[in-house]
Structures are given as C-alpha cells and as structure tokens.
Amino acid sequence: METPFVFGRMTRNIDFTDRAEETARLITNFNSRINSILISPRRWGKSSLVAKASEMAMANNPMLRVCFIDLYNVRSEEEFYQLLAQEVIRSTSTKFEEMMDSTKKFLGQLFPKLSFSPEPNNEFSLGFDWNEVKKNPNDILKLAENIALEKNMQIVICIDEFQNISEFENPLAFQKKLRSHWQQHQKTTYCLYGSKRHMLLDVFTSSSMPFYKFGDIMFLQKIKEEDWVTFLTKRFLDTKKKISDKNALLITQLAKSHSYYVQQLAQQAWLRTKTTCNEVIVLQSFENLTLQMSLLFQTLTDELSKYQINFLKALVSNETKFSSKEIMDKYRLGSSSNIQKIKKALENKEIIDCMGDQIEMLDPIYEHWLKKYYFKVN
C-alpha cells in the first residue's frame, strides 16, 4: 500500500494541507498582476503552495502561463540568464516548433544554441555565448514581457531561492538591473520566494535596496495544529487505519508543526500501525526518526565553533537572556558582541531563526537530538 504522507517533494491534491487563505491571496495576486514575495524557513511548504496556487489560477484563466525557476544551484548572472530564458520559452510554448520560433524571434541577436532530448519527455535546453549576453542582457530580461505581448497572454515567473542572487559577483548592480526592467512589465508578474529570511528581508524591506516595495510580502506561517489534526486523521482513514485526534495532535506537537517533519513522523507512525495508531507508536516513531538522523546531526554539530555549540545548549535549555552576565558566564558565550556574531553565524547556517527577541531552532528533530542525546538536558 502506498504511504499517504509526502515529504521531500512537492505535495499536490489530497497530499496538500490547508493553506486556503495563502492560496487565495496568491491567486488574487497572479490574476491582478501584483508581484508577490513569499518568505519562510526551508521545508515549510513554499514550493507546494506556489505550485498549488499556480495550478488553480491557470485552471480558471486559459491565458495565464506560470514559469518556475529554482536558483538553488545558480551562482552567477550567466547561469541566471540561461535558466530564465530557457524556462520562459518552455513555459510559453507547446511544441518544439513554437520553442524554436520564439527563440529565433526574441533572442536571435544573442546567437542561442538549442538542443532537444530524443527521450519521450522531450527535454529542451538553451545556451548562449556569455560574451554576447554580457553586452546586452536586455533581450532576456524583456523576453517574458515580449512574448506575453506577442501572444496576448499573462505570465507569472516564480523564482525559488531568490536570495541566491546575493551571491553573484556584483549583487547590488544585478538587482538594480532586474528591478529597472521588471517594474516596467505590464503583462508579466513575479513571485519571488526563498528560505533565508534574514537575507530576503534585507533585499525586500530595506529602503536602500533596489527591490524595496517591489510587491506584496507574505510571511508564511506554520500550518495550524487543528488543520494538521484534520489532515492526519483523514489520511489514516483513507488507508483503512485509525488515529485519534489526541495522537494526531501529538505528532503535530512533537514536530512543532514543521510541514516536512509532520509528514515524515506521520509516515513513520503509519508504517508501524496495523489498525490503530496509539501514543506508544507515535513516541517510538519520534525517537526512531531522531536516531535515524543522528549521524547527520553529529556531522552538523562537529562543524560548529565551541561558542556556537554553547549558544545552542543555552537555547535548548530554554534560556532567553543570552546577554546577561549570568548566562554568558554559565554557558561561556564570551561578550555581548560575540553573541551577536554567534546568532548571525547560526542564522546563516539555517540552524536558528531570529525575529526580534524571539529565537527558534528551525529543525525540531535536531533540537530534540541536541537536548536529549548531545547535551542530555533534563
């Protein structure tokens, strides 16, 4: 029997959990041509949400096309331009001939190189002479808008891990270049999202940055506990198994409503359940999942400095006044200025998330492993 829980890939249809309000807001933005900025930690379901909203928006608007771009492994302007052009052509064409015609018509001056896979999935790739693109990247930056005007369609370009443009050679100049073109587009809308909240906040909320006030900023929250309970109990029932509201809530709370881990922990419990999932099964599944990841967690911890490890010990011990002399001495954190460096370093490693005075471990299973198995905090 196929597992009813999905993690590590985008969730669709019955695997998708709630997010009705956020989905409706994105659909409205897509149809109203309002740029969207979506911010949340990794594995909270951003990509699934954008995909869901895109499917629903296109189903109700035959002239809408959505282009998906992932910058996870993109580290240069050259790679960005190539990927942008390739995916825009792909998402706005239905046949090879149409892809070739659009490429020649709108990008011909850049001497593009097209290739097609003979495989049934018909993969399409596009390459350029970087020296030609550097002279004038405008054709690529205007590509979506030009195609939209030519074909009388509306295009939404969704870019995941957008914060990676900060790692380009001259990120500020590049951002200015993008903004100067994109703000003029009338039939092309942008949905920009990523997981490094502190970096994205700097890009989109700092008045000195080019993308300041570029669009509607959405801070994705965790799915509510009651929605998870409804989802989990239903998915168990769909497979002729049962779990009580109480134990579905226990799964949710152990995983701290973290979308990826709620689904993974639920799967572990489901696999151990013959007919009815009980509290013992849930707790065994939680500890088993933690131990499965212990090698990964040990490697991650070994790469931290002693100050960073000490800070995490204070955090999982529920300390909050990190800058007090008592806490700094007790956990050997150094000076107040050193604490700020520690927090920034752990944020950059995506281990913690800081919002004002609130500091949260991003990985609830890692937090449990640190507390119980590494520091052995009571």
mmCIF file of all heavy atoms in Angstrom, residues 172 175-176 202-203 205-212:
data_model
loop_
_atom_site.group_PDB
_atom_site.id
_atom_site.type_symbol
_atom_site.label_atom_id
_atom_site.label_comp_id
_atom_site.label_asym_id
_atom_site.label_seq_id
_atom_site.Cartn_x
_atom_site.Cartn_y
_atom_site.Cartn_z
ATOM 1 N N LEU A 172 24.357 43.953 -6.009
ATOM 2 C CA LEU A 172 23.563 45.184 -5.977
ATOM 3 C C LEU A 172 23.295 45.708 -7.384
ATOM 4 O O LEU A 172 22.160 46.089 -7.715
ATOM 5 C CB LEU A 172 24.271 46.246 -5.138
ATOM 6 C CG LEU A 172 23.456 47.507 -4.840
ATOM 7 C CD1 LEU A 172 22.177 47.145 -4.089
ATOM 8 C CD2 LEU A 172 24.284 48.501 -4.030
ATOM 9 N N GLN A 175 20.705 43.450 -9.007
ATOM 10 C CA GLN A 175 19.354 43.721 -8.521
ATOM 11 C C GLN A 175 18.785 44.989 -9.160
ATOM 12 O O GLN A 175 17.601 45.048 -9.516
ATOM 13 C CB GLN A 175 19.350 43.851 -7.003
ATOM 14 C CG GLN A 175 19.582 42.541 -6.276
ATOM 15 C CD GLN A 175 19.618 42.727 -4.776
ATOM 16 O OE1 GLN A 175 18.773 43.396 -4.198
ATOM 17 N NE2 GLN A 175 20.610 42.126 -4.127
ATOM 18 N N LYS A 176 19.610 46.016 -9.299
ATOM 19 C CA LYS A 176 19.160 47.255 -9.945
ATOM 20 C C LYS A 176 18.751 46.998 -11.394
ATOM 21 O O LYS A 176 17.769 47.547 -11.887
ATOM 22 C CB LYS A 176 20.276 48.300 -9.893
ATOM 23 C CG LYS A 176 20.544 48.868 -8.511
ATOM 24 C CD LYS A 176 21.689 49.877 -8.539
ATOM 25 C CE LYS A 176 21.948 50.453 -7.161
ATOM 26 N NZ LYS A 176 23.100 51.415 -7.164
ATOM 27 N N ASP A 202 16.406 41.712 4.022
ATOM 28 C CA ASP A 202 17.326 42.766 3.615
ATOM 29 C C ASP A 202 17.059 43.188 2.172
ATOM 30 O O ASP A 202 17.072 44.383 1.845
ATOM 31 C CB ASP A 202 18.771 42.286 3.763
ATOM 32 C CG ASP A 202 19.774 43.376 3.413
ATOM 33 O OD1 ASP A 202 19.697 44.453 4.020
ATOM 34 O OD2 ASP A 202 20.622 43.151 2.532
ATOM 35 N N VAL A 203 16.769 42.226 1.308
ATOM 36 C CA VAL A 203 16.525 42.521 -0.111
ATOM 37 C C VAL A 203 15.230 43.300 -0.310
ATOM 38 O O VAL A 203 15.174 44.257 -1.091
ATOM 39 C CB VAL A 203 16.473 41.215 -0.940
ATOM 40 C CG1 VAL A 203 15.985 41.492 -2.361
ATOM 41 C CG2 VAL A 203 17.859 40.564 -0.982
ATOM 42 N N THR A 205 12.903 44.637 2.256
ATOM 43 C CA THR A 205 12.355 45.596 3.216
ATOM 44 C C THR A 205 13.297 46.749 3.541
ATOM 45 O O THR A 205 12.908 47.675 4.251
ATOM 46 C CB THR A 205 11.967 44.895 4.536
ATOM 47 O OG1 THR A 205 13.139 44.383 5.187
ATOM 48 C CG2 THR A 205 10.995 43.745 4.276
ATOM 49 N N SER A 206 14.508 46.704 3.034
ATOM 50 C CA SER A 206 15.447 47.801 3.269
ATOM 51 C C SER A 206 15.243 48.889 2.221
ATOM 52 O O SER A 206 15.277 48.624 1.015
ATOM 53 C CB SER A 206 16.886 47.292 3.216
ATOM 54 O OG SER A 206 17.791 48.368 3.296
ATOM 55 N N SER A 207 15.015 50.114 2.661
ATOM 56 C CA SER A 207 14.730 51.219 1.737
ATOM 57 C C SER A 207 15.905 51.548 0.826
ATOM 58 O O SER A 207 15.731 52.231 -0.192
ATOM 59 C CB SER A 207 14.332 52.470 2.530
ATOM 60 O OG SER A 207 15.373 52.852 3.414
ATOM 61 N N SER A 208 17.093 51.054 1.160
ATOM 62 C CA SER A 208 18.270 51.326 0.333
ATOM 63 C C SER A 208 18.465 50.297 -0.773
ATOM 64 O O SER A 208 19.349 50.449 -1.621
ATOM 65 C CB SER A 208 19.525 51.371 1.208
ATOM 66 O OG SER A 208 19.751 50.109 1.817
ATOM 67 N N MET A 209 17.626 49.247 -0.777
ATOM 68 C CA MET A 209 17.795 48.164 -1.737
ATOM 69 C C MET A 209 16.865 48.330 -2.942
ATOM 70 O O MET A 209 15.746 48.856 -2.817
ATOM 71 C CB MET A 209 17.539 46.820 -1.069
ATOM 72 C CG MET A 209 18.496 46.507 0.070
ATOM 73 S SD MET A 209 20.211 46.366 -0.480
ATOM 74 C CE MET A 209 20.161 44.744 -1.256
ATOM 75 N N PRO A 210 17.302 47.875 -4.124
ATOM 76 C CA PRO A 210 16.509 48.057 -5.354
ATOM 77 C C PRO A 210 15.115 47.425 -5.300
ATOM 78 O O PRO A 210 14.185 47.938 -5.918
ATOM 79 C CB PRO A 210 17.381 47.385 -6.429
ATOM 80 C CG PRO A 210 18.769 47.460 -5.895
ATOM 81 C CD PRO A 210 18.632 47.305 -4.419
ATOM 82 N N PHE A 211 14.962 46.310 -4.584
ATOM 83 C CA PHE A 211 13.678 45.615 -4.571
ATOM 84 C C PHE A 211 12.763 46.060 -3.430
ATOM 85 O O PHE A 211 11.775 45.391 -3.133
ATOM 86 C CB PHE A 211 13.879 44.100 -4.530
ATOM 87 C CG PHE A 211 14.087 43.500 -5.895
ATOM 88 C CD1 PHE A 211 15.362 43.300 -6.383
ATOM 89 C CD2 PHE A 211 13.001 43.161 -6.692
ATOM 90 C CE1 PHE A 211 15.561 42.761 -7.650
ATOM 91 C CE2 PHE A 211 13.188 42.629 -7.955
ATOM 92 C CZ PHE A 211 14.471 42.417 -8.443
ATOM 93 N N TYR A 212 13.077 47.191 -2.813
ATOM 94 C CA TYR A 212 12.226 47.736 -1.759
ATOM 95 C C TYR A 212 10.840 48.053 -2.319
ATOM 96 O O TYR A 212 10.710 48.678 -3.365
ATOM 97 C CB TYR A 212 12.872 48.995 -1.188
ATOM 98 C CG TYR A 212 12.086 49.681 -0.102
ATOM 99 C CD1 TYR A 212 11.807 49.040 1.097
ATOM 100 C CD2 TYR A 212 11.640 50.994 -0.264
ATOM 101 C CE1 TYR A 212 11.097 49.673 2.109
ATOM 102 C CE2 TYR A 212 10.938 51.644 0.737
ATOM 103 C CZ TYR A 212 10.660 50.976 1.919
ATOM 104 O OH TYR A 212 9.952 51.603 2.918
#
